Amino acid sequence: MTETAVERAPRTEVEPKLRIEKLGVAYAGRVAVRDVSFGLPTNTVTALIGPSGCGKSTVLRALDRMHDEVPEAEVTGRVLLDGEDVYAPHVDPIEVRRRIGMVFQKPNPFPKSIFDNVAFGLRVGGLRNRTELAARVEEALRHAALWDEVSDRLGKSALGLSGGQQQRLCIARALAVRPEVLLLDEPTSALDPIATEAIEALIDRLRGEITMAMVTHSLAQARRVADHVAFFYLGELVEHGEAREVLEHPQDERTAAYVGGRVG
Amino acid sequence: MSRGDRWLAWGSGLALAIVLFATSALFGVTLFEGVPRLDLAFFVEAPDASMVGGGIAPALVGTALVTLLMTVAGVPVGVATGIWLAEYAPRAGRFGPRLAVLVRAAVANLAGVPSIVFGLFGLGFFVLFVGRGLDHALAEGAPVWGRPGLLWASLTLAVLTLPVVIVTTEEAIRAVPDSLREAALGVGATRLDTVFRVVLPRAAPGIWTGVVLAIGRGAGEVAPILFTGAANYLPELPNDPRDMFMHLGYHVYALSTQSPDVDASRPTLFATVLVLLALAFLLNLVASVLRSRARRMA
Amino acid sequence: MKLGRVRTPWWHRAIERLIALFASSAILAVIAIGVFVFRQAWPLLIDDDALTDQGGLASLFRPRLWPGYDEPLHVWQPVGFPGKLDVIPLVVGTLKITGLTMAIAIPLGVGGAVFLSEVAPRRVREWVKAAVELLAAVPSVVVGFFVLAILAGGVQRAFDLTYRLNAFVAAIGLAFAVVPVVLTITEDALRTVPRELVEASLALGARRWQTTLGVTLPAAMPGIAAAVVLGFGRAIGETMIVLMASGNAPVMGLDPTSSARTLTATIAAELGEVTPGSDHWRVLFLLGALLFVVTFALNELGRWVVLRLRRKLRAEEVAPVSGRARRATATAEVAS
């Protein structure tokens, strides 16, 4: 299965915000993802879909160099942020992660106050000024549509929030450092439908401001929020293009089988 | 219950009952014999020259000082080792994991070294090698550094308690969920930021458990300080880290084996043992409170 | 924006280096202990003038016809004229006391652990474990004192012994230190036996005790072996208890009611009073080096035993019906 993925994204002249070129990831020599190439167009939402275990999260984590933390993981290929390879030898993963934020599957707030959670990235980035910190925290919380719910208890522990609020807090925490790209790894899989709706609404509002990539297991969710869809199967990118096109008229039979509910 | 089941229950229960009986006998007798001798003077006075009367103030202070110095010297090293084993070794290239295997083997062996060998080591290394070396280098006439003292005893105990701190720190850090690390790394925190701002605060109760256990272990050990600093009878308090010092545990040993009048010193002995036991009990209590807090957080 | 503007601060890397440096402390400590204890004993091994009045290095282990004695004997009597430095009585004393200790501590420790993990209700277990932890935290000098002041007299009256302080009471005292080690590790080992194994045995109709003896205990064997080896190491290395309770006479022979003197107690009792650099001083350091090597070897042996047993158990798990399960079925049939 070395045929190239069906590429149906309109050949825009604009360089995508993040371009992935021949990305491969292997764990301890076992290939998890191979030869993946696609782009995240600026300020749009791209959904990474496919059956579980097909490498969606692996690709996502490669984009902000989280695999650097796994000793036996090996990443090949290039990931170009504004045309520059984030894997270039002179680039520190710290910087990559500040410019490319990530939200994880399960809400993972620190056992700290709500304020300290959101301020965390700013503080490790060296921001000390209290007024500016407060302003940036408020901005991020407003951005994440959480401000009205927590503004009166910023000093309280983040663990007191509901699951959906915790996940929005994690988004706010990621947004606080003003990343240019936001990666969301199944951000609603641990949440109830109402909380899911709130997160989806939030993603919709962020569209046009920030480039997003989201792994999801739900085709319905991909339909609701994604501008573009990338379909992964057995560690390979099978099809990539505008959401409506890929979901309504899949070209590859594997995509058709998945979208039609016959696989996964 | 079948007959076999009853046999098993009674047999194993008897074994446990013996252990518990022995433990409570130890505590009970000490309490019974020791309490009558306790008064304020016992804690604030120095023993008299016959070591029959008087108090244990110098031994109390000496024990506190040697334990404090030991903690200051040993805990940072132990905690750093635990951090390295849990956070850095798995990612430190090809050598990291191999070195970690070596470090763990060393820690396990260090924990098994007899305490009296630590005493020999303290004498051979700290007093004779380092201390005498300093005397030579500073051209001191009489040995100033190269003789037993508080500092050398503390450092010896620090090496002895190192494994306790290392093992508990590593365990506590490993218990911190990876999701927290990822959250920190995901916003661009460095590994060090992640460790100090997220991992360590979360692992703190577990690490403190180790520190308290180490203090308990260090405060009660006598064999390592026999030749490295403990004094038989020294009513003055040490005012220099190179001075010798009195120690509760050593005091018990000295009183019960070298006292001129064993019967006369018996009440003092029991009271001193009671203080040592109370100390062990208290530290143990603190450790288990901390540990249950650590468990709740994990 | 160009990449390459933000870097991990240099001092983060510096602190990380420092942490890595500290991490080697345990290795350095073990090496330093070996080197600096051995260093004091070294001249005995290379210097021809050492131990001349004893008859050379080998005399440390050989019986000799001492002036005033009728036959060649192993004698440790460094303050006599001449000083007699034969370490065999000390080795015998150590083995005697350690053996007795293990004979007391293994049944108590393993039995107690079986009760805790297999019989006792949860509430009881929590309390008892706290008590055992407390026992483990009792300083050995306190145990030594307890034996010396209370236990020894009682034992002497009860068994009508000639010597108040002897190998037997020292072993009882040592058991105070060793039982918590054996008990806690064994209990952990028993409780990590997978529930499926126990349930499988019970589902086959085995009784509780059959399951415990036939399935749980064998499956926990690596842990129990480790518990015994570590307990043994603790017993050999313990100083203050034997120093205070054993009577300290370097007697040959295995009579448990006679006094005995261990390697550790000898160092503790004599080093403070010998001339640094003398043969006696060096022999004491040699004993320390011997203790270091023995406990080191025990430790490695323990780790090796655990590894081997674990591998063996895993190999058995692969077999469709293990011999143990078959035995459990067989016993169940006999019992019913």
Side-chain angles (χ1 to χ4, degrees):
Chain A
M1 285 202 283
T2 46
E3 62 203 280
T4 42
V6 184
E7 178 57 65
R8 303 194 315 183
R11 287 273 168 223
T12 43
E13 308 306 313
V14 206
E15 170 75 13
K17 183 72 189 173
L18 202 66
R19 194 144 57 82
I20 296 110
E21 282 183 356
K22 294 192 178 305
L23 181 74
V25 183
Y27 293 110
R30 209 177 49 80
V31 175
V33 165
R34 83 177 108 194
D35 198 26
V36 168
S37 302
F38 69 110
L40 302 181
T42 309
N43 297 350
T44 62
V45 181
T46 302
L48 279 56
I49 62 168
S52 12
C54 281
K56 308 181 298 288
S57 295
T58 308
V59 169
L60 199 71
R61 296 169 76 89
L63 303 188
D64 74 339
R65 293 188 62 172
M66 284 306 272
H67 290 306
D68 285 30
E69 306 304 326
V70 186
E72 61 269 26
E74 197 189 329
V75 179
T76 52
R78 303 205 296 168
V79 175
L80 303 166
L81 177 64
D82 288 336
E84 268 189 283
D85 187 7
V86 303
Y87 280 97
H90 70 284
V91 177
D92 194 313
I94 306 311
E95 181 181 17
V96 175
R97 294 178 195 143
R98 286 182 192 168
R99 292 180 59 184
I100 305 178
M102 185 150 187
V103 175
F104 298 85
Q105 196 167 349
K106 265 178 64 186
N108 53 357
F110 299 124
K112 295 169 181 279
S113 73
I114 292 170
F115 185 92
D116 287 345
N117 260 279
V118 181
F120 183 87
L122 300 169
R123 286 193 174 129
V124 299
L127 184 59
R128 290 278 175 279
N129 185 312
R130 278 155 182 269
T131 39
E132 198 175 340
L133 266 178
R136 292 282 292 270
V137 168
E138 179 174 346
E139 174 200 293
L141 284 170
R142 282 191 191 283
H143 230 115
L146 194 61
W147 177 252
D148 294 336
E149 292 162 62
V150 301
S151 60
D152 57 336
R153 48 171 170 155
L154 291 175
K156 295 262 166 59
S157 167
L159 300 177
L161 297 175
S162 74
Q165 288 173 323
Q166 286 189 4
Q167 192 63 306
R168 274 183 285 150
L169 180 73
C170 292
I171 296 179
R173 186 174 62 193
L175 289 176
V177 287
R178 293 182 185 152
E180 296 151 52
V181 179
L182 186 62
L183 308 174
L184 303 128
D185 189 358
E186 294 190 48
T188 61
S189 66
L191 303 180
D192 62 70
I194 294 172
T196 300
E197 211 183 311
I199 301 276
E200 286 180 8
L202 172 58
I203 293 171
D204 197 43
R205 283 207 311 109
L206 294 173
R207 191 196 318 271
E209 292 178 35
I210 187 167
T211 308
M212 282 178 280
M214 173 171 72
V215 169
T216 177
H217 266 126
S218 154
L219 280 172
Q221 185 169 57
R223 234 173 234 124
R224 285 194 298 268
V225 299
D227 302 304
H228 298 89
V229 163
F231 174 69
F232 288 84
Y233 191 74
L234 299 180
E236 288 182 57
L237 175 63
V238 172
E239 193 162 346
H240 171 245
E242 285 195 21
R244 180 173 287 270
E245 284 295 304
V246 175
L247 295 173
E248 309 279 317
H249 312 288
Q251 298 270 297
D252 192 286
E253 58 190 55
R254 289 166 292 177
T255 321
Y258 181 73
V259 172
R262 277 173 283 140
V263 176
Chain B
M1 248 194 181
S2 76
R3 236 172 71 200
D5 286 348
R6 262 197 301 276
W7 270 105
L8 186 78
W10 280 102
S12 62
L14 180 68
L16 194 62
I18 293 173
V19 175
L20 292 180
F21 173 75
T23 310
S24 36
L26 180 98
F27 276 83
V29 169
T30 310
L31 217 60
F32 182 77
E33 299 249 357
V35 168
R37 173 74 172 78
L38 290 185
D39 50 26
L40 185 66
F42 185 69
F43 291 99
V44 297
E45 280 176 13
D48 57 32
S50 69
M51 298 229 281
V52 170
I56 53 164
L60 263 179
V61 174
T63 307
L65 283 177
V66 80
T67 314
L68 181 75
L69 271 177
M70 166 200 91
T71 312
V72 170
V75 166
V77 178
V79 170
T81 308
I83 291 175
W84 185 81
L85 282 174
E87 288 288 329
Y88 287 101
R91 304 179 179 79
R94 277 182 44 231
F95 279 114
R98 281 180 212 177
L99 191 61
V101 169
L102 264 181
V103 171
R104 289 203 186 87
V107 170
N109 279 304
L110 199 57
V113 172
S115 51
I116 189 70
V117 175
F118 278 101
L120 292 177
F121 164 68
L123 178 61
F125 179 67
F126 289 122
V127 178
L128 295 181
F129 184 72
V130 180
R132 287 276 157 87
L134 277 173
D135 281 338
H136 266 286
L138 305 172
E140 305 274 4
V144 178
W145 296 94
R147 57 199 174 98
L150 190 56
L151 179 65
W152 303 139
S154 306
L155 293 180
T156 307
L157 288 174
V159 181
L160 176 111
T161 50
L162 209 51
V164 183
V165 182
I166 294 175
V167 170
T168 40
T169 301
E170 192 193 348
E171 259 174 34
I173 289 180
R174 281 186 185 282
V176 175
D178 266 341
S179 62
L180 286 183
R181 290 186 184 87
E182 288 178 340
L185 293 167
V187 290
T190 63
R191 178 62 59 180
L192 195 73
D193 271 326
T194 308
V195 168
F196 277 90
R197 290 171 193 253
V198 176
V199 176
L200 283 188
R202 174 83 172 206
I207 296 174
W208 280 112
T209 309
V211 173
V212 173
L213 287 176
I215 290 175
R217 174 89 199 276
E221 282 286 352
V222 177
I225 60 169
L226 282 175
F227 325 117
T228 53
N232 199 0
Y233 178 68
L234 190 74
E236 308 90 46
L237 300 179
N239 49 24
D240 185 301
R242 294 166 300 186
D243 285 350
M244 289 182 81
F245 60 101
M246 283 189 87
H247 182 272
L248 282 174
Y250 190 86
H251 195 55
V252 169
Y253 167 63
L255 276 183
S256 53
T257 57
Q258 286 150 30
S259 169
D261 185 353
V262 175
D263 284 330
S265 58
R266 206 173 149 97
T268 306
L269 247 173
F270 269 106
T272 312
V273 169
L274 181 59
V275 173
L276 255 178
L277 266 185
L279 197 72
F281 182 77
L282 222 72
L283 287 170
N284 206 271
L285 202 68
V286 174
S288 57
V289 168
L290 281 170
R291 189 178 307 143
S292 66
R293 265 191 57 190
R295 289 229 178 95
R296 238 179 301 129
M297 273 178 83
Chain C
M1 269 195 288
K2 296 284 285 177
L3 277 166
R5 291 171 307 116
V6 179
R7 306 219 57 128
T8 301
W10 67 269
W11 56 274
H12 281 214
R13 298 241 184 271
I15 292 178
E16 284 171 345
R17 290 269 154 75
L18 199 67
I19 289 174
L21 199 70
F22 274 166
S24 56
S25 61
I27 299 177
L28 290 181
V30 171
I31 295 174
I33 291 173
V35 167
F36 282 93
V37 172
F38 205 66
R39 204 174 93 111
Q40 297 293 328
W42 184 241
L44 286 180
L45 309 185
I46 52 158
D47 197 343
D48 289 337
D49 292 340
L51 293 167
T52 38
D53 60 336
Q54 300 291 310
L57 187 64
S59 69
L60 291 179
F61 312 97
R62 248 195 328 243
R64 190 171 153 195
L65 186 62
W66 298 97
Y69 287 77
D70 302 333
E71 49 179 336
L73 285 174
H74 292 287
V75 181
W76 176 269
Q77 200 187 67
V79 288
F81 292 100
K84 307 174 188 66
L85 300 168
D86 185 330
V87 301
I88 297 298
L90 310 179
V91 173
V92 169
T94 301
L95 291 179
K96 181 163 80 172
I97 290 184
T98 310
L100 278 171
T101 303
M102 295 316 282
I104 300 169
I106 292 175
L108 290 184
V110 175
V114 166
F115 186 85
L116 279 188
S117 80
E118 307 290 305
V119 184
R122 229 180 86 106
R123 181 82 56 80
V124 175
R125 186 169 61 228
E126 297 302 317
W127 278 102
V128 172
K129 283 193 81 165
V132 172
E133 252 169 53
L134 186 59
L135 178 60
V138 172
S140 55
V141 69
V142 169
V143 176
F145 165 75
F146 180 70
V147 173
L148 181 73
I150 307 289
L151 206 71
V155 170
Q156 186 185 27
R157 277 190 299 277
F159 295 97
D160 193 22
L161 303 179
T162 324
Y163 305 102
R164 195 171 72 92
L165 299 179
N166 55 55
F168 180 55
V169 289
I172 296 178
L174 267 189
F176 274 84
V178 176
V179 163
V181 175
V182 177
L183 198 151
T184 23
I185 301 177
T186 303
E187 208 249 353
D188 281 346
L190 287 173
R191 280 169 37 89
T192 48
V193 172
R195 272 195 68 79
E196 302 88 74
L197 280 185
V198 174
E199 279 165 1
S201 165
L202 293 174
L204 288 169
R207 291 184 189 283
R208 210 59 249 184
W209 68 273
Q210 294 164 329
T211 306
T212 301
L213 297 185
V215 176
T216 318
L217 276 172
M221 221 49 206
I224 300 175
V228 170
V229 173
L230 285 176
F232 194 72
R234 180 78 206 272
I236 283 193
E238 179 51 57
T239 307
M240 297 315 287
I241 298 175
V242 284
L243 179 60
M244 294 164 82
S246 68
N248 280 326
V251 179
M252 287 292 286
L254 295 174
D255 176 11
T257 64
S258 75
S259 178
R261 172 168 229 172
T262 65
L263 296 166
T264 53
T266 305
I267 300 170
E270 295 175 7
L271 191 68
E273 280 142 26
V274 300
T275 324
S278 65
D279 281 348
H280 184 191
W281 158 282
R282 300 206 183 287
V283 170
L284 291 178
F285 271 92
L286 188 67
L287 296 183
L290 179 69
L291 275 170
F292 176 74
V293 171
V294 166
T295 47
F296 194 98
L298 272 179
N299 219 309
E300 291 302 316
L301 173 76
R303 283 149 49 99
W304 181 76
V305 166
V306 169
L307 229 81
R308 239 183 71 114
L309 281 172
R310 218 172 258 160
R311 208 172 297 144
K312 219 176 110 198
L313 283 174
R314 210 172 293 139
E316 271 182 32
E317 272 167 33
V318 179
V321 181
S322 77
R324 195 174 305 128
R326 237 180 282 126
R327 239 174 292 133
T329 338
T331 42
E333 277 162 11
V334 173
S336 55

